[in-house]
Amino acid sequence: MFEGILITKDDAGYRAQLQSIDEAQLPEGDVTVQVAWSTLNYKDGLAITGQSPVVRRFPMVPGIDFAGTVTASSHASWKVGDQVVLNGWGVGETHWGGLAGVARVKGDWLVRLPEAFSARQAMAIGTAGYTAMLCVMALERHGIQPGDGDILVTGANGGVGSVALALLARLGYRAVASTGRPQEAEHLKSIGAAEVIDRAELAAPGKALGKERWAGVVDAVGSHTLANACAGTRYGGAVAACGLAGGMDFPATVAPFILRGITLYGIDSVMAPLALRQQAWARLARDLDPALLEAFTREIPLAQAPAVAADLLAGQVRGRVVVRVTA
């Protein structure tokens, strides 16, 4: 038996509760992991609260991330005692996830924990930070250099935004943070923002083409924010879109793409191939300052995950949240 958050849906309604779970209930998989740490991402908030149909099967253990130790394996790549990290692959949606003491998954989904990080630090990064790294890598592959101009980061107080700011600053870029919480401006500057703007500048319907402001963009918001970010991107620039906190719609025109030759990159962290995941984690180990990571990380026990998930969706959580599962 082990403790975990279990989501159920029946005639009595939708519930996410901490309870004891029998290991015999675990889904199929060729690797079993004792989970030490997990985390809360925006998708976890949706799953736990039921505000969006993220969970596809019931009952379900939420948690799209975990870090821990292999306790059993029939997979050729993994042996007992290996330290591993998992992000995505539908875990916490269609396959039991990381907000429980034990997880059983496919070995192909796992990445070896980088030596540079503890399991806790890996979850302070989590899918949010790993996605931020994928966004930065996309801008780099596009050819955007630090001297080319400002990089806009939307949803800057969130997990993706916080890590993106830290990475961009470490790599020499000038990052501009967009946030709906202007009282957090000094915090955002302390982790890497050179300038902070109010999200209201981007959140309302805008022009098909705006002033050329951004060499590149990391967007975790979508909707009008993404449309306006594209409209304000400089000739030949690029936008890396990875989130939809503001909505799934994209009320834009083709003008920025055909008149300024900008590129919109869709960043998917869930099904990204292993080689790309390994590259992203290697880059995080090289380019992310662990001390700075700690500055925007909050730790909670497993029992608090449902309450904090609701706070996350309400925009009341700064940066990253790590969940102590069995550590």
Side-chain angles (χ1 to χ4, degrees):
M1 302 293 290
F2 56 91
E3 295 293 299
I5 305 295
L6 194 67
I7 299 174
T8 56
K9 183 180 181 182
D10 52 30
D11 292 343
Y14 188 103
R15 299 180 303 282
Q17 298 175 315
L18 179 67
Q19 61 186 71
S20 294
I21 301 172
D22 192 324
E23 192 164 333
Q25 296 177 259
L26 286 170
E28 292 184 1
D30 49 16
V31 180
T32 302
V33 178
Q34 179 176 333
V35 178
W37 296 91
S38 188
T39 181
L40 290 177
N41 297 285
Y42 190 79
K43 186 179 286 185
D44 298 318
L46 294 173
I48 290 171
T49 62
Q51 289 192 28
S52 182
V54 169
V55 176
R56 311 297 175 83
R57 299 175 184 172
F58 297 91
M60 177 60 60
V61 171
I64 65 174
D65 296 324
F66 65 73
T69 305
V70 173
T71 58
S73 174
S74 59
H75 191 283
S77 297
W78 305 108
K79 65 181 185 303
V80 173
D82 284 343
Q83 301 294 300
V84 294
V85 176
L86 184 143
N87 307 104
W89 294 116
V91 170
E93 302 175 69
T94 60
H95 189 99
W96 282 22
L99 288 171
V102 181
R104 184 173 293 140
V105 298
K106 293 183 179 180
D108 290 344
W109 297 345
L110 298 169
V111 173
R112 196 171 303 278
L113 176 69
E115 292 184 3
F117 298 127
S118 67
R120 184 185 184 280
Q121 288 172 325
M123 286 299 96
I125 295 167
T127 287
Y130 147 67
T131 302
M133 188 74 253
L134 292 176
C135 290
V136 172
M137 288 164 56
L139 298 183
E140 289 177 333
R141 286 195 303 272
H142 190 78
I144 298 173
Q145 301 293 321
D148 290 341
D150 291 351
I151 307 296
L152 173 68
V153 177
T154 69
N157 263 306
V160 172
S162 295
V163 178
L165 288 174
L167 287 168
L168 290 165
R170 182 77 173 262
L171 292 167
Y173 292 89
R174 187 179 190 275
V176 177
S178 168
T179 180
R181 289 179 270 175
Q183 70 274 18
E184 297 283 359
E186 290 307 310
H187 165 70
L188 292 171
K189 290 179 180 178
S190 75
I191 63 174
E195 182 182 343
V196 179
I197 64 173
D198 195 307
R199 71 179 177 196
E201 292 187 32
L202 301 167
K207 298 178 180 179
L209 282 177
K211 180 181 178 182
E212 295 183 65
R213 302 176 67 183
W214 323 116
V217 178
V218 174
D219 177 65
V221 178
S223 191
H224 290 291
T225 296
L226 176 57
N228 287 321
C230 290
T233 297
R234 295 180 180 180
Y235 190 93
V239 177
C242 65
L244 45 75
M248 289 187 65
D249 59 321
F250 183 42
T253 77
V254 298
F257 305 99
I258 62 175
L259 297 180
R260 290 186 180 158
I262 77 162
T263 300
L264 177 61
Y265 290 100
I267 305 301
D268 168 57
S269 62
V270 177
M271 305 302 289
L274 179 60
L276 185 59
R277 292 169 182 267
Q278 291 171 330
Q279 183 185 0
W281 277 102
R283 287 291 307 277
L284 285 161
R286 189 189 81 184
D287 297 327
L288 184 62
D289 181 354
L292 193 58
L293 178 66
E294 188 62 29
F296 54 82
T297 298
R298 168 188 174 191
E299 179 183 320
I300 64 169
L302 182 60
Q304 290 183 13
V308 177
D311 292 341
L312 179 65
L313 295 190
Q316 297 173 358
V317 173
R318 169 204 284 179
R320 301 288 295 125
V321 175
V322 291
V323 181
R324 186 173 64 253
V325 181
T326 62

